[in-house]
Amino acid sequence: IYSLPNHAHRVEAISLLPPAYTVAPRVDAGVPVQRMSYLVGPAPEAAPAVYAAIADLLGKVRIDGVFAHPRDTLRKINGVPYVDTSLIVEDYVFRLLAERPQSVVDVYGYESSVLLNLAHVPRVRSFTICEPDAERSEAVAAMIIGGVLRFKA
């Protein structure tokens, strides 16, 4: 989209991240790269199919923490600790990357703007666990076009 004209003029891609957040992980001899995995929790009104997809994910991937949806007060996802932070997911991930230069982060979710926001951040992979059925096909297609990966176990 950056090569197309805007209503006023051409737009230019800029980075909102300082270099410390975007550099490749530091590979020190004898110190392995640390992979961390997080789940972006669904909205509280999510359908049972969403929780079924999350249960399937949890049976296949080690998840280090769940970020509750801002409106979620029930915390229905069991077996994984919820992340206790006042930061939004993106800022939490950016801080992890800066504090742990030896790390990479995988972020999983159903449908979330968080996945799109993190899709092109170096050292981060965003995955949707949403199945592209007839009802969700447009949402999944938009996420994939935006750089989000499809989770396939």
Side-chain angles (χ1 to χ4, degrees):
I1 66 170
Y2 296 108
S3 62
L4 300 175
N6 195 344
H7 69 280
H9 54 77
R10 289 170 50 108
V11 296
E12 179 180 329
I14 61 169
S15 175
L16 300 177
L17 302 174
Y21 291 82
T22 60
V23 296
R26 182 179 20 171
V27 180
D28 294 333
V31 180
V33 171
Q34 180 185 14
R35 182 168 302 281
M36 295 172 284
S37 299
Y38 292 93
L39 172 66
V40 177
E45 65 274 8
V50 174
Y51 289 98
I54 290 170
D56 183 57
L57 172 74
L58 295 178
K60 297 173 180 168
V61 175
R62 178 189 54 81
I63 299 293
D64 296 303
V66 176
F67 291 98
H69 186 280
R71 289 181 285 128
D72 182 8
T73 58
L74 301 177
R75 299 194 172 203
K76 298 180 187 178
I77 300 168
N78 298 314
V80 180
Y82 276 80
V83 177
D84 183 22
T85 182
S86 61
L87 299 174
I88 62 170
V89 178
E90 294 89 335
D91 286 340
Y92 187 91
V93 169
F94 297 158
R95 187 171 288 174
L96 274 178
L97 296 174
E99 292 174 354
R100 300 178 185 182
Q102 196 79 12
S103 66
V104 292
V105 180
D106 290 340
V107 181
Y108 297 85
Y110 198 74
E111 292 175 348
S112 175
S113 59
V114 169
L115 300 175
L116 288 166
N117 293 341
L118 294 174
H120 296 284
V121 174
R123 300 170 40 210
V124 176
R125 296 187 305 175
S126 294
F127 295 92
T128 178
I129 60 174
C130 184
E131 290 296 325
D133 60 14
E135 183 180 329
R136 308 285 359 130
S137 62
E138 289 182 13
V140 173
M143 286 190 287
I144 301 304
I145 290 168
V148 176
L149 304 168
R150 284 270 333 278
F151 172 71
K152 298 175 189 169

